[in-house]
Amino acid sequence: MKIGYVQTSPIFGEREQNFTQVKGLLVNKKADLIVLPELFATGYTFTSKEEAKTLAESVDGITSQFLQKMTKITGATIVGGFIERDNNKIFNSAMIVSETGVIGIYRKIHLYYREKLWFSPGNQQLKVYKINDFKVGMMICFDWIFPETARTLALLGADIIAHPSNLVLPYCQKAMITRCLENRVFAITSNRIGQEKRGLDNFSFTGASQITSYNGEILSSAPKAKEFVDIVNVDINRARDKNLNEFNNLIEDRRIKFYQYI
Ligand code: ACM
């Protein structure tokens, strides 16, 4: 199957321009699964909760409508980040969208830095979605630093982790090699580029979006400072065999009774 990502440079608050950028990058691209960055339509660096709220949407808002159009153009199921409004709360969320509409939502459970001032932490269980013949789970950016996130998705049966990101630290791409190796899953980390200097923050986003294989191999690595798209072919069955060799199975060999502190 064909899996890929779009690496973008969102302009803060300019949803229509950000949609146009994604649409331009996806011209003539066909795939089964495509991942876009965290908060790709709005930008990331807010100055207040009120400001973030003005860019928040319901699950059937304009970002989901845009993504649904992109699924028709690409033939792909698409995952992308957005600010989700639910009554008085807002969440840093990702949605998985097919031609028929939104299949599911993930609300980021590990909020990074000042995100804690704007967003409520995710309040729903991690989940895996069966799409045709593959299973995909979502996590968002900083979730990578908590290995329990990817492990939970793998235990739920994910073949692929869709990982919309706005990375500002230099460690994630290397960490994803371990996350994939230790769980024998594929991962698509879709990152953004550019800089946002707003309020008290001055973030430089690190690009280098990455597709990581079940065996830790890097199948695609984007430039650090350029908009970019890539799509690669993977054999998804590889993620279903958790045997590292004839003696070691990475799920069955766990010694849970010795892990009592987690
Ligand atoms: C991050 O979680 N966007 C750093």
Side-chain angles (χ1 to χ4, degrees), residues 241-258:
D241 176 5
K242 303 300 184 190
N243 293 310
L244 189 64
N245 56 48
E246 59 192 303
F247 291 98
N248 293 115
N249 181 291
L250 292 183
I251 300 303
E252 290 165 11
D253 281 5
R254 290 174 305 137
R255 305 292 308 281
I256 292 167
K257 68 178 177 187
F258 295 110

Side-chain angles (χ1 to χ4, degrees), residues 3-235:
I3 63 175
Y5 61 83
V6 185
Q7 173 168 294
T8 62
S9 53
I11 301 162
F12 187 88
E14 298 295 336
R15 240 183 312 225
E16 285 304 327
Q17 283 187 61
N18 296 331
F19 289 158
T20 303
Q21 189 188 125
V22 170
K23 192 171 175 196
L25 287 161
L26 283 175
V27 166
N28 294 330
K29 303 288 184 215
K30 298 280 174 205
D32 298 293
L33 177 67
I34 292 174
V35 183
L36 304 183
E38 177 183 14
L39 302 179
F40 77 95
T42 57
Y44 176 78
T45 314
F46 306 100
T47 55
S48 67
K49 185 169 183 168
E50 285 60 46
E51 182 185 58
K53 268 189 176 173
T54 64
L55 293 164
E57 300 173 42
S58 58
V59 170
D60 57 1
I62 59 170
T63 298
S64 79
Q65 287 158 26
F66 168 73
L67 291 181
Q68 212 173 328
K69 276 188 217 144
M70 292 303 99
T71 66
K72 294 197 170 107
I73 290 173
T74 59
T77 298
I78 300 188
V79 173
F82 74 116
I83 309 175
E84 181 189 356
R85 187 189 325 110
D86 185 9
N87 293 314
N88 211 26
K89 289 185 176 168
I90 55 171
F91 296 91
N92 182 343
S93 295
M95 61 175 96
I96 182 163
V97 183
S98 74
E99 278 192 34
T100 53
V102 176
I103 300 169
I105 300 290
Y106 166 66
R107 295 173 169 172
K108 187 176 186 178
I109 54 178
H110 304 103
L111 297 174
Y112 178 71
Y113 201 58
R114 258 186 271 279
E115 282 178 39
K116 291 192 177 190
L117 302 180
W118 337 127
F119 298 119
S120 296
N123 55 2
Q124 293 170 351
Q125 292 296 318
L126 289 153
K127 218 176 147 188
V128 163
Y129 298 89
K130 188 166 186 317
I131 318 286
N132 304 323
D133 55 350
F134 63 91
K135 286 187 180 169
V136 56
M138 295 182 276
M139 65 181 199
I140 299 177
C141 204
F142 192 55
D143 285 329
W144 70 266
I145 210 166
F146 301 90
E148 294 88 348
T149 319
R151 176 68 96 196
T152 301
L153 291 173
L155 290 172
L156 287 169
D159 303 313
I160 309 173
I161 294 176
H163 184 206
S165 296
N166 274 191
L167 294 162
V168 294
L169 300 175
Y171 314 113
C172 173
Q173 288 85 347
K174 286 199 178 82
M176 289 311 290
I177 295 173
T178 307
R179 294 290 98 82
C180 290
L181 190 57
E182 68 199 2
N183 292 299
R184 285 178 82 82
V185 292
F186 293 88
I188 309 166
T189 300
S190 171
N191 197 14
R192 62 163 288 177
I193 61 166
Q195 190 177 15
E196 276 181 0
K197 190 170 184 315
R198 308 193 74 254
L200 298 172
D201 293 315
N202 185 0
F203 289 129
S204 290
F205 301 96
T206 59
S209 295
Q210 181 170 294
I211 301 179
T212 317
S213 186
Y214 72 99
N215 59 1
E217 203 181 313
I218 295 173
L219 301 177
S220 172
S221 178
K224 287 191 174 144
K226 225 176 103 189
E227 292 160 17
F228 199 72
V229 185
D230 201 14
I231 291 163
V232 302
N233 253 311
V234 296
D235 175 2

